[in-house]
Amino acid sequence: MSNSKESNIVQLPVDPNAAIIDRYGLEGGHIGIGEDESPWVPFGDSAAIRHLSFDVRTGSVCNILWVKGGGKIGTHRHRSAVSAVTLEGSWGYYEYDWVARPGSYVYEHPGAAHTLYSDDPKGMKALFWIHGPIEFFDDNGVYTETTDVFWFINHYISHCEKHGLAINKALFL
């Protein structure tokens, strides 16, 4: 059995829409692990975000959230679905009785409000797929801001421009 990449590619029958797919379809992408492809961008005092994709067509973003030990993300309410997979450490929401650990899957429904925290000495990292806007509130429940796909794009681009980093166009779907 050959281990060459080419010998492992299965030849499929020609798709009846092959010409249209070639002309209008989008190719998949790859964002590597290096910060040259997507740097950690500070998010508040105890967190950072590594942006992985921005989809303005659906208002969705994908990123890795890193909350350093003893940190939290302010109280927020989702206006669409969110899902997450924990990569490192542990975290939870003050409003719920579970704790997410590596491999945990978390889903959040529109209208859910909660405050993310990590009291893990090593902090946490989780991959989030966020659809739609998120409303943030201060400690008194007063609305402070909305983050959406355009906020996340600005967060990334502003950081890159400030630090002379190249903007990775592969992040934009």
Side-chain angles (χ1 to χ4, degrees), residues 43-166:
F43 184 58
D45 296 331
S46 61
I49 296 173
R50 184 165 186 255
H51 299 283
L52 300 176
S53 72
F54 309 107
D55 187 342
V56 298
R57 299 163 305 148
T58 63
S60 301
V61 299
C62 183
N63 60 47
I64 299 173
L65 174 65
W66 174 18
V67 177
K68 297 156 189 176
K72 73 174 191 171
I73 301 297
T75 302
H76 57 280
R77 177 172 41 219
H78 296 281
R79 288 302 182 190
S80 203
V82 174
S83 57
V85 175
T86 305
L87 305 173
E88 298 177 11
S90 62
W91 62 281
Y93 294 121
Y94 290 131
E95 296 80 4
Y96 308 129
D97 62 358
W98 51 261
V99 174
R101 300 190 193 298
S104 293
Y105 173 72
V106 176
Y107 57 91
E108 303 166 18
H109 296 290
H114 38 243
T115 310
L116 188 152
Y117 75 93
S118 176
D119 56 10
D120 188 315
K122 297 178 185 174
M124 64 74 86
K125 287 182 183 170
L127 175 81
F128 279 88
W129 192 259
I130 302 166
H131 304 279
I134 306 169
E135 299 168 336
F136 280 86
F137 300 85
D138 68 14
D139 291 340
N140 297 311
V142 176
Y143 167 82
T144 58
E145 73 176 325
T146 296
T147 61
D148 62 8
V149 66
F150 298 106
W151 183 97
F152 284 99
I153 290 170
N154 184 57
H155 184 247
Y156 168 70
I157 289 176
S158 296
H159 177 81
C160 290
E161 289 174 345
K162 180 179 178 181
H163 297 283
L165 303 173

